[in-house]
Amino acid sequence: DVVMTQSPLSLPVTLGQPASITCRSSQSLVFRDGNTYLNWFQQRPGQSPRRLIYKVSNRDSGVPDRFSGSGSGTDFTLKISSVEAEDVGVYYCMEGKNWPPITFGQGTRLEIK
Amino acid sequence: EVQLLESGGGLVQPGGSLRLSCAASGFTFSGYTMSWVRQAPGKGLEWVSTITVSGARTYYADSVKGRFTISRDDSKSTLYLQMNSLRAEDTALYYCAKVVVTIREGFDYWGQGTLVTVSS
């Protein structure tokens, strides 16, 4: 199975500063249909996960534009341009190219310094 | 408004069984693939099982294959997970999740979860 590796696992950030999370896959996530199936989820404390980004860089409806996704092949990044208090939580990447199964990264915990 | 309401969790002894339910509303349940995803206490997300439209196909994580059975009742807009031969490592919060269009793009709605604790 593919292995998804996130870094860092813990990310202390000052309010208003940018944040960046990396997700690396053990194999390319480009599917035969030409799409790259790498998605990002946010899980705020005590809440269920919520999808933020799908297919590398497409923001879900209602997701603030301070969130952006980029990358290709095996290396992907989630960026927050200016961290706000409501961004505290754990962020997971998820790959769908090798379905089944679905594989999540270990998670990155973002906290405010 | 889409709602997914899980139930059926609880404390069970190792080797025991539980049946989880997920009552869906706010969308045409029969038209969507559905999944279960779990989260052990303080740990990350782990995909458990998926069932396609009409129950045509089912998929399981290796960790639960042969022990868990996913099913759906479209007349009741309800998803189920029958869990047998439970182990301590199955202890987790179990989320019901609606697949977007293709599972390759993940899940757009999640329930609040139901907690399963396997312990003697």
Side-chain angles (χ1 to χ4, degrees), chain A residues 8-28:
Chain A
L9 298 184
S10 179
L11 182 57
V13 182
T14 301
L15 285 173
Q17 292 300 302
S20 181
I21 300 169
T22 295
C23 177
R24 288 198 168 92
S25 171
S26 59
Q27 54 186 269
S28 173

Side-chain angles (χ1 to χ4, degrees), chain A residues 7-113:
Chain A
S7 63
L9 298 184
S10 179
L11 182 57
V13 182
T14 301
L15 285 173
Q17 292 300 302
S20 181
I21 300 169
T22 295
C23 177
R24 288 198 168 92
S25 171
S26 59
Q27 54 186 269
S28 173
L29 298 186
V30 181
F31 192 52
R32 59 176 178 262
D33 63 1
N35 289 308
T36 301
Y37 290 103
L38 186 284
N39 313 302
W40 289 97
F41 291 82
Q42 174 196 59
Q43 187 175 31
R44 291 171 171 154
Q47 295 188 13
S48 303
R50 163 201 185 194
R51 195 181 69 169
L52 296 176
I53 302 281
Y54 62 98
K55 291 191 292 184
V56 181
S57 59
N58 297 276
R59 250 190 328 270
D60 272 277
S61 175
V63 174
D65 60 8
R66 64 179 180 274
F67 288 92
S68 64
S70 63
S72 62
T74 61
D75 293 341
F76 305 93
T77 302
L78 176 69
K79 291 182 179 176
I80 309 173
S81 60
S82 176
V83 169
E84 299 189 5
E86 66 178 17
D87 300 335
V88 166
V90 183
Y91 292 81
Y92 297 92
C93 59
M94 182 217 104
E95 75 90 10
K97 183 253 183 178
N98 294 288
W99 160 255
I102 288 296
T103 304
F104 291 93
Q106 325 96 298
T108 294
R109 185 174 301 276
L110 185 148
E111 62 180 38
I112 304 300
K113 274 186 193 174

Side-chain angles (χ1 to χ4, degrees), chain B residues 77-99:
Chain B
S77 296
T78 301
L79 177 71
Y80 301 100
L81 186 68
Q82 177 67 43
M83 304 187 296
N84 299 331
S85 304
L86 283 162
R87 307 167 179 166
E89 55 264 36
D90 295 319
T91 294
L93 187 64
Y94 284 73
Y95 293 104
C96 164
K98 172 184 168 293
V99 170

Side-chain angles (χ1 to χ4, degrees), chain B residues 4 6 10-11 15 17 19 26 35 42 46 53 64-65 68 70 72 76-77 82 88 91 94 109:
Chain B
L4 299 171
E6 302 95 336
L11 175 62
S17 298
R19 188 198 198 198
S35 294
E46 180 189 15
V53 168
V64 307
K65 201 170 293 183
F68 289 12
I70 191 171
R72 62 192 296 159
K76 296 181 178 179
S77 296
Q82 177 67 43
T91 294
Y94 284 73
Y109 289 95

